[in-house]
Amino acid sequence: MGWEEQVRRVVPYIPGEQPKQKGIIKLNTNECPYPPSPLVKEYAAAFETELLRLYPDPEASLLVNALADYYGVDADQVFVGVGSDDVLAMSFLTFFNSEKPVLFPDITYSFYDVWAELFHIPYRCPELDNDFRLVKEDYLTENGGIVIPNPNAPTGLFESLDTIEEIVAGNPDSMVIIDEAYVDFGGVSAMSLVDKYDNLLVVQTFSKSRAMAGIRIGFAVGSKKAIGYLKDVKFSFNSYTMNAPSIAWGTASIRDDGYFKETVGKIINTRERVKKELAGLGFTFPDSMSNFIFASHETIPAAELFQALKQEGIYVRYFNKPRIDNYLRITVGTDEEMDRLLTFLKQIIH
Amino acid sequence: MGWEEQVRRVVPYIPGEQPKQKGIIKLNTNECPYPPSPLVKEYAAAFETELLRLYPDPEASLLVNALADYYGVDADQVFVGVGSDDVLAMSFLTFFNSEKPVLFPDITYSFYDVWAELFHIPYRCPELDNDFRLVKEDYLTENGGIVIPNPNAPTGLFESLDTIEEIVAGNPDSMVIIDEAYVDFGGVSAMSLVDKYDNLLVVQTFSKSRAMAGIRIGFAVGSKKAIGYLKDVKFSFNSYTMNAPSIAWGTASIRDDGYFKETVGKIINTRERVKKELAGLGFTFPDSMSNFIFASHETIPAAELFQALKQEGIYVRYFNKPRIDNYLRITVGTDEEMDRLLTFLKQIIH
């Protein structure tokens, strides 16, 4: 039929599996192994479903103000969305509108090229070096925008704030988006630079360090000008993206900083211990500053390990892509989960 | 700075006010005056916030299956989104990609032209006739897609299914979207036609008849083919749009059909009574099949009434636009709220 000729044809991003069986050790989508703050539970218990008859606050002010207070910026420097994917999609749409290519690394979050294709944005992917490090000079050439995840996924590597600042400072004609989904696990945020550079947008999420993947909250911090443009596009797409539970419960999470720091600390400790154990088993990996380890074994192919683990009920992530097809991305779970992983790996490797 | 030259500049849609003061009679955004089903409250009380650490089901299968069962279609004929605005925005992006203009009425939901501008889609707005009725022939000319709200907003008028079918049948080369946000208040859904025409997409919402504006759920029903294309675009934008509470509580709402029918029945009864009273006060209005009345007074200008009502703490909607700038869009509230409105109108009109 003729109507199909007008359809926007795209190849969608495929998220990690969400198995419904019980008893699975789920180390494949970088979720937090611990529950959200007990304050979220309290807010949920007090939630009045009667009020759902009303539209939520289109500005999500309660949540925006909590974030602004927490990060020491003004409320009009904060934008919230339905997970950082929503924030990033809106940002691509808002800021990347030129004939020049948008730049992001060849090995990175595999949604960037999907958004570029969706919005018909040209793009180019400079290669990371052999240690999976960013080559700074690659981002100091003509471009239509830049998006860099820091720490990078799936490598887990963190690039210094000096490197980031050089790239931002060297691109006054482009928006530079730093995707900090994993920054709370040992990185340093570029938020300290947003008052100095109005072409910088820092994006974070509640899905990893805040253990709230199920509530869908992401946010961006930037200059008032940049956030203003982003809000105009968002309000041209959907007035009310954040529902009432996400506004209330997200605020609860921000208000319990003690629990947040404790959870993140536990994950970092587990990660560092697991790094040592994996090295002892013959694995190599970039020095992750995230809540996952990107590991390759000296003798057993990653694809084989991936299948063996899956049969054992241990889900990790495997990307069948150039340069990384011998790596597994293993989320850092609880100590107990990681012990079960390590015990099984010892059995099949020895 | 140079980066701003690449920004997508848009004039966003402005939603109705959400006043935060208590005691306001809020008849300005077509919300339901009654709370959601008690079953929603039950599901909320049983909701486990611990599980928020996990991503939600990206397919929102629980909710999709509940909708498919309820409307007697297959699950792969149902698409869900963050309110019908999200569903419509994704649909514009998916289906309207031609150099020919998309068609929608001159007097209609004021988000359609905003989406068209956002995505750089050409559009043309055929005039409704003097009774605010659709002129069918206007939609049987060459176009790049069609979107028709039925009942229309802000007029409340319902066009017969025969008219809709003629338009769908006459446009095999275009997607025809019927926006049925208000259909539960007396209209007849075009869903019965989706198995006959694969260029038809029917969009509905939980924000009006299901009293859940605060949870953000909209959905589309169409051919498997059309829904498949829409899902590809959605999964190229954001894998997880529906958060865990919206999936669970939306399902609860669908499962309590008795409450739904009772609520809708009450609103229809109130609307019919208020129509009579308004007519007695010198108002005229199209014969609304929605949960609002679009009323014009024989002597007092709408802008004046709007201000007087606002000062009294009664919020209605006023559009300062050609052809409709002497009308007020008044949401049908509870009987008590409508009595307060009528009492005040009697005072100032007498």
Side-chain angles (χ1 to χ4, degrees):
Chain A
M1 296 264 289
W3 65 273
E4 289 179 70
E5 282 166 31
Q6 288 186 41
V7 169
R8 186 176 296 249
R9 307 286 180 122
V10 284
V11 180
Y13 173 81
I14 298 163
E17 280 181 85
Q18 297 292 342
K20 280 163 188 167
Q21 315 94 289
K22 296 268 170 191
I24 296 289
I25 296 186
K26 199 168 170 307
L27 307 176
N28 69 330
T29 52
N30 298 340
E31 288 146 336
C32 180
Y34 305 107
S37 154
L39 198 59
V40 172
K41 201 182 175 79
E42 270 182 50
Y43 276 47
F47 189 84
E48 297 178 74
T49 54
E50 291 76 8
L51 294 178
L52 288 176
R53 73 177 188 83
L54 300 172
Y55 280 97
D57 172 11
E59 298 278 354
S61 301
L62 192 73
L63 178 59
V64 164
N65 291 336
L67 285 164
D69 284 352
Y70 186 76
Y71 290 108
V73 295
D74 288 340
D76 51 10
Q77 293 184 272
V78 178
F79 175 85
V80 292
V82 182
S84 60
D85 286 347
D86 184 48
V87 175
L88 287 163
M90 295 280 181
S91 301
F92 271 54
L93 191 59
T94 306
F95 298 114
F96 297 161
N97 294 284
S98 103
E99 301 297 308
K100 298 175 208 160
V102 166
L103 305 179
F104 47 86
D106 65 331
I107 298 167
T108 194
Y109 184 31
S110 41
F111 221 133
Y112 299 150
D113 58 349
V114 174
W115 286 315
E117 297 279 352
L118 175 65
F119 298 130
H120 303 158
I121 301 167
Y123 61 97
R124 199 163 55 75
C125 300
E127 283 192 16
L128 296 176
D129 72 15
N130 286 335
D131 298 323
F132 297 146
R133 284 283 171 192
L134 209 73
V135 182
K136 190 174 59 188
E137 292 70 24
D138 291 341
Y139 297 86
L140 298 171
T141 59
E142 202 179 51
N143 63 75
I146 290 171
V147 53
I148 291 172
N150 201 28
N152 196 3
T155 66
L157 285 174
F158 178 75
E159 302 292 344
S160 78
L161 219 51
D162 287 346
T163 302
I164 298 299
E165 183 164 5
E166 274 190 71
I167 294 172
V168 175
N171 282 287
D173 292 339
S174 300
M175 179 56 70
V176 180
I177 299 175
I178 308 297
D179 176 358
E180 296 187 344
Y182 300 102
V183 77
D184 292 324
F185 301 105
V188 181
S189 175
M191 264 187 218
S192 56
L193 302 173
V194 295
D195 286 332
K196 196 167 165 190
Y197 302 99
D198 61 6
N199 63 321
L200 167 65
L201 195 75
V202 176
V203 177
Q204 295 191 11
T205 177
F206 280 48
S207 300
K208 316 294 181 184
S209 54
R210 294 197 174 272
M212 293 185 80
I215 202 71
R216 315 304 301 122
I217 301 176
F219 61 100
V221 173
S223 62
K224 288 174 200 194
K225 211 180 245 182
I227 295 297
Y229 289 129
L230 192 48
K231 280 167 91 167
D232 281 351
V233 165
K234 179 265 177 197
F235 278 103
S236 294
F237 192 97
N238 187 356
S239 307
Y240 309 94
T241 50
M242 311 304 287
N243 69 11
S246 73
I247 294 171
W249 307 356
T251 303
S253 168
I254 293 290
R255 286 180 180 165
D256 190 356
D257 197 39
Y259 180 86
F260 171 68
K261 294 213 164 90
E262 184 193 324
T263 304
V264 166
K266 280 199 285 191
I267 292 166
I268 292 174
N269 287 341
T270 304
R271 179 187 71 205
E272 294 306 312
R273 175 175 76 82
V274 172
K275 278 181 186 172
K276 285 188 197 112
E277 304 235 27
L278 286 175
L281 287 168
F283 283 94
T284 52
F285 39 83
D287 190 26
S288 170
M289 296 291 259
S290 67
N291 70 336
F292 56 82
I293 299 169
F294 195 54
S296 183
H297 193 258
E298 56 193 0
T299 56
I300 310 178
E304 201 174 297
L305 281 171
F306 173 75
Q307 286 304 338
L309 285 165
K310 193 164 179 177
Q311 276 180 10
E312 185 68 11
I314 302 172
Y315 282 58
V316 300
R317 195 93 193 256
Y318 173 68
F319 300 93
N320 191 6
K321 288 188 174 177
R323 297 182 73 192
I324 57 169
D325 60 357
N326 201 26
Y327 284 83
L328 296 177
R329 196 195 66 185
I330 305 166
T331 303
V332 177
T334 61
D335 279 310
E336 296 68 31
E337 288 172 327
M338 300 320 274
D339 285 341
R340 273 196 51 194
L341 169 83
L342 291 164
T343 302
F344 180 71
L345 287 175
K346 275 171 203 160
Q347 282 170 30
I348 57 175
I349 286 167
H350 55 84
Chain B
M1 298 264 289
W3 65 274
E4 289 180 70
E5 281 166 32
Q6 289 187 40
V7 168
R8 186 175 296 248
R9 307 289 180 118
V10 285
V11 180
Y13 174 80
I14 297 164
E17 280 181 84
Q18 297 292 343
K20 281 163 187 168
Q21 315 93 290
K22 298 267 170 192
I24 295 288
I25 296 186
K26 199 169 168 310
L27 307 175
N28 69 329
T29 53
N30 297 340
E31 289 144 332
C32 180
Y34 306 107
S37 154
L39 198 59
V40 172
K41 200 182 177 77
E42 270 183 50
Y43 276 46
F47 189 85
E48 297 177 74
T49 54
E50 290 77 7
L51 295 178
L52 288 176
R53 73 178 188 83
L54 300 172
Y55 280 97
D57 172 11
E59 298 278 353
S61 301
L62 192 74
L63 178 60
V64 164
N65 291 336
L67 285 164
D69 284 352
Y70 186 77
Y71 289 108
V73 295
D74 289 340
D76 51 10
Q77 293 184 272
V78 178
F79 175 86
V80 292
V82 183
S84 60
D85 287 345
D86 184 48
V87 175
L88 288 163
M90 295 279 180
S91 301
F92 271 54
L93 191 58
T94 305
F95 299 113
F96 297 160
N97 293 284
S98 103
E99 302 297 308
K100 298 174 207 159
V102 166
L103 305 179
F104 48 86
D106 65 331
I107 298 167
T108 194
Y109 184 31
S110 41
F111 222 133
Y112 299 150
D113 59 350
V114 175
W115 287 314
E117 297 280 351
L118 174 66
F119 298 129
H120 302 159
I121 302 166
Y123 61 97
R124 197 163 56 76
C125 301
E127 282 192 17
L128 296 177
D129 72 15
N130 286 335
D131 298 322
F132 297 146
R133 285 284 173 192
L134 209 72
V135 182
K136 188 174 60 188
E137 292 70 24
D138 291 340
Y139 297 86
L140 298 171
T141 59
E142 201 179 51
N143 63 75
I146 290 171
V147 53
I148 291 172
N150 199 29
N152 197 3
T155 66
L157 284 174
F158 178 76
E159 301 292 344
S160 79
L161 219 51
D162 288 345
T163 303
I164 299 299
E165 183 164 7
E166 273 189 72
I167 292 172
V168 175
N171 283 286
D173 292 338
S174 300
M175 178 55 71
V176 180
I177 299 175
I178 308 299
D179 176 359
E180 296 186 345
Y182 301 102
V183 78
D184 293 323
F185 302 104
V188 181
S189 176
M191 265 187 216
S192 57
L193 301 173
V194 296
D195 286 330
K196 196 165 165 191
Y197 303 98
D198 61 6
N199 63 322
L200 166 65
L201 194 76
V202 176
V203 177
Q204 294 192 12
T205 177
F206 279 49
S207 300
K208 315 295 181 186
S209 54
R210 294 197 174 272
M212 292 184 82
I215 202 72
R216 314 305 300 125
I217 302 176
F219 61 100
V221 173
S223 63
K224 288 176 201 196
K225 212 180 246 183
I227 295 297
Y229 289 129
L230 192 49
K231 280 167 93 167
D232 282 350
V233 165
K234 179 265 178 198
F235 277 102
S236 294
F237 192 97
N238 187 358
S239 307
Y240 309 94
T241 49
M242 310 303 287
N243 69 11
S246 73
I247 294 171
W249 307 355
T251 304
S253 168
I254 294 290
R255 286 179 180 165
D256 189 355
D257 196 40
Y259 181 86
F260 170 69
K261 294 213 165 91
E262 184 193 323
T263 305
V264 166
K266 280 200 286 190
I267 292 167
I268 292 173
N269 286 342
T270 304
R271 179 188 70 205
E272 294 306 312
R273 176 176 74 85
V274 173
K275 278 182 187 172
K276 285 188 199 114
E277 303 238 26
L278 286 175
L281 287 169
F283 283 94
T284 52
F285 40 82
D287 191 25
S288 171
M289 297 292 260
S290 67
N291 70 337
F292 56 82
I293 299 168
F294 195 54
S296 183
H297 193 259
E298 57 192 358
T299 56
I300 311 180
E304 199 175 298
L305 280 171
F306 173 74
Q307 286 303 339
L309 285 164
K310 193 164 180 179
Q311 276 178 10
E312 186 68 11
I314 302 172
Y315 281 58
V316 300
R317 195 93 193 256
Y318 173 67
F319 301 93
N320 191 5
K321 289 187 175 180
R323 299 183 71 192
I324 57 169
D325 60 357
N326 200 26
Y327 285 82
L328 296 177
R329 195 195 65 185
I330 305 165
T331 303
V332 177
T334 62
D335 278 311
E336 295 68 30
E337 288 172 328
M338 300 320 275
D339 285 341
R340 273 197 50 195
L341 169 84
L342 291 164
T343 302
F344 180 71
L345 287 175
K346 275 170 204 161
Q347 280 170 28
I348 57 175
I349 286 166
H350 55 79

